[in-house]
Amino acid sequence: MLLINIGLLTPTQVLITTRHGIRTSLFKMPNAPAPWICYLHHYFNFESNTTTTPKTSMKLNFDVKNLLPGTCFLGNLADQGFEQHRHLNTIWTELYPQFFQNKSYTPKTVRTTNKSRTRMSLCGQLRETSYASVSTYDLDSSVIPDACPADKRYWYSIQNGYDFENARLKEIQTKTNWNVWWDTFSDDFRSRAAMNAAFPDTLTQDDIDLANNMMDKYWCYMYQKNPNKDHQLLYSKMAIGAYCQDLIDLLNNKTQFHILSGHDTVVAPLAGVLVQDWACSQPDFASFIVLEVTDNMVKIRYRHSGDGQGEYVKQLACGEFECTVDQMKAQLKKYVMTVEERKVRCETEF
């Protein structure tokens, strides 16, 4: 992907979409050898089965039965992940002091999904515990609901339709006594590596690298390189169509400042439809994509991996580093799908 940094702007609108920080695995590997170490969740007020909005701290839906070996939970934002988002605060303060140093943002301009890891990430990103309890806004607009059969059918059509080295997969399944696909292996491996948790002795570095490479290949087929372009377009609409409409509305309303603390399943498809020469792989923890608007022109600052400020990238909307707001809105409009339309599509075949 061609990247270039073309200088610091003083935009009038900044619309930020982030992935949560480093977290534990979403799945428990059987007979995994090493403990997962977390301290961060002790600083937050977790309360099971509640949607209460607290006055001074976070109360989140959190299943305390999902214990991992050690001091963490499944999907627990790690201390390292929280620090990643505190560093994002430093980046935003340097790049956009008109919004961050003056504290001119309001609760209506920041939102999260309903996962503890995204809310805790937002808390670190804003360095204000009072904003941790901000409304999750229209949750359905930025994530495909869990109960969406078409979502799973699209995944399986890719898993079963292309070469994902099934023989090697079976070898790793045997080594770990874990009968899962590459996505689950890679989720665990990337989380372990980021948190410096030990791997099973039966695994080689080649095994780990292969799982991550297969996952990147899978993500690339999901959002950009699927030969079936009709299916890819439909799935992109399902993934971010409602959020694309949110971004159009934010542009139309000239909203000065916006953050969505979300997931790779938001950052990846958004980058896939906006960024020319996208990396076409799973975005790292704390990746982000920013729309910067100045004088009716839009630039995209994108960080796929690493810990820097991101780079300006060429846009699919016009093929240049700068596009007009109208060109950006036209590009987003190609992928708009309402929440109601998505509910219908969830029940259809791919």
Side-chain angles (χ1 to χ4, degrees):
M1 179 170 62
L2 179 63
L3 303 174
I4 188 169
N5 196 323
I6 53 179
L8 182 65
L9 300 177
T10 54
T12 55
Q13 286 185 274
V14 174
L15 310 180
I16 300 170
T17 305
T18 65
R19 185 190 180 191
H20 58 75
I22 294 167
R23 57 155 171 78
T24 64
S25 176
L26 296 176
F27 313 95
K28 184 183 273 189
M29 183 189 294
N31 305 315
W36 299 80
I37 305 302
C38 298
Y39 299 102
L40 180 66
H41 54 270
H42 297 298
Y43 296 101
F44 294 91
N45 184 5
F46 293 112
E47 184 172 296
S48 296
N49 301 319
T50 181
T51 55
T52 302
T53 300
K55 293 181 180 179
T56 59
S57 61
M58 295 167 62
K59 291 185 180 180
L60 304 173
N61 294 318
F62 208 74
D63 187 351
V64 296
K65 296 180 181 179
N66 283 337
L67 286 170
L68 284 166
T71 57
C72 300
F73 302 89
L74 292 171
N76 197 150
L77 185 73
D79 302 57
Q80 300 95 318
F82 188 71
E83 287 304 314
Q84 283 183 306
H85 277 254
R86 283 175 61 87
H87 182 59
L88 286 185
N89 176 276
T90 300
I91 292 175
W92 304 149
T93 301
E94 292 175 354
L95 294 177
Y96 314 119
Q98 67 273 35
F99 301 121
F100 271 77
Q101 290 184 359
N102 297 327
K103 304 275 187 190
S104 61
Y105 51 80
T106 67
K108 292 182 180 179
T109 60
V110 292
R111 54 183 280 207
T112 78
T113 66
N114 64 347
K115 303 298 184 182
S116 61
R117 56 188 174 272
T118 55
R119 292 196 179 191
M120 292 163 75
S121 293
L122 178 64
C123 189
Q125 198 170 155
L126 297 179
R127 296 194 182 220
E128 294 218 21
T129 56
S130 61
Y131 278 91
S133 61
V134 69
S135 169
T136 51
Y137 190 49
D138 183 4
L139 294 177
D140 286 343
S141 71
S142 66
V143 291
I144 297 177
D146 292 336
C148 179
D151 183 27
K152 305 301 186 294
R153 284 193 286 267
Y154 184 64
W155 296 358
Y156 296 144
S157 72
I158 293 174
Q159 292 177 16
N160 298 325
Y162 305 98
D163 178 21
F164 284 99
E165 302 206 25
N166 288 335
R168 287 296 311 279
L169 174 61
K170 290 180 180 178
E171 290 178 11
I172 297 175
Q173 288 172 340
T174 300
K175 287 182 177 183
T176 57
N177 193 30
W178 203 15
N179 189 28
V180 296
W181 201 69
W182 291 119
D183 56 342
T184 303
F185 278 121
S186 180
D187 181 89
D188 182 276
F189 295 169
R190 283 180 162 149
S191 297
R192 283 180 188 276
M195 293 184 64
N196 296 314
F199 286 79
D201 293 337
T202 54
L203 294 173
T204 67
Q205 189 60 50
D206 284 345
D207 295 332
I208 296 166
D209 291 343
L210 178 61
N212 291 335
N213 289 338
M214 290 298 97
M215 188 58 171
D216 285 337
K217 180 178 179 179
Y218 175 59
W219 278 73
C220 192
Y221 275 124
M222 288 266 285
Y223 296 118
Q224 194 171 78
K225 300 298 185 181
N226 192 332
N228 191 324
K229 293 304 178 185
D230 289 337
H231 283 186
Q232 179 182 292
L233 175 61
L234 176 57
Y235 190 72
S236 294
K237 287 182 176 182
M238 291 176 62
I240 55 165
Y243 185 55
C244 284
Q245 184 60 60
D246 293 342
L247 290 173
I248 292 171
D249 293 341
L250 291 166
L251 291 169
N252 286 336
N253 296 335
K254 300 189 183 301
T255 301
Q256 292 183 328
F257 173 83
H258 163 80
I259 291 178
L260 167 66
S261 177
H263 305 268
D264 46 10
T265 51
V266 184
V267 174
L270 190 61
V273 304
L274 294 183
V275 177
Q276 184 172 303
D277 301 322
W278 175 51
C280 203
S281 57
Q282 183 179 20
D284 282 355
F285 297 117
S287 55
F288 60 76
I289 183 167
V290 184
L291 306 186
E292 299 178 347
V293 181
T294 307
D295 296 330
N296 201 43
M297 301 298 293
V298 182
K299 293 178 182 176
I300 293 179
R301 183 183 291 274
Y302 181 56
R303 186 174 89 180
H304 188 79
S305 60
D307 60 1
Q309 294 185 342
E311 302 286 346
Y312 291 115
V313 293
K314 284 191 174 181
Q315 303 178 45
L316 289 171
C318 67
E320 303 294 339
F321 287 99
E322 291 184 281
C323 299
T324 66
V325 171
D326 285 343
Q327 287 172 323
M328 170 58 70
K329 289 191 291 188
Q331 180 69 8
L332 290 167
K333 190 174 181 180
K334 295 176 185 178
Y335 299 91
V336 166
M337 174 181 282
T338 67
V339 172
E340 291 73 22
E341 289 172 334
R342 185 173 62 195
K343 289 179 181 177
V344 174
R345 294 302 317 186
C346 273
E347 302 302 324
T348 61
E349 294 289 340
F350 262 99

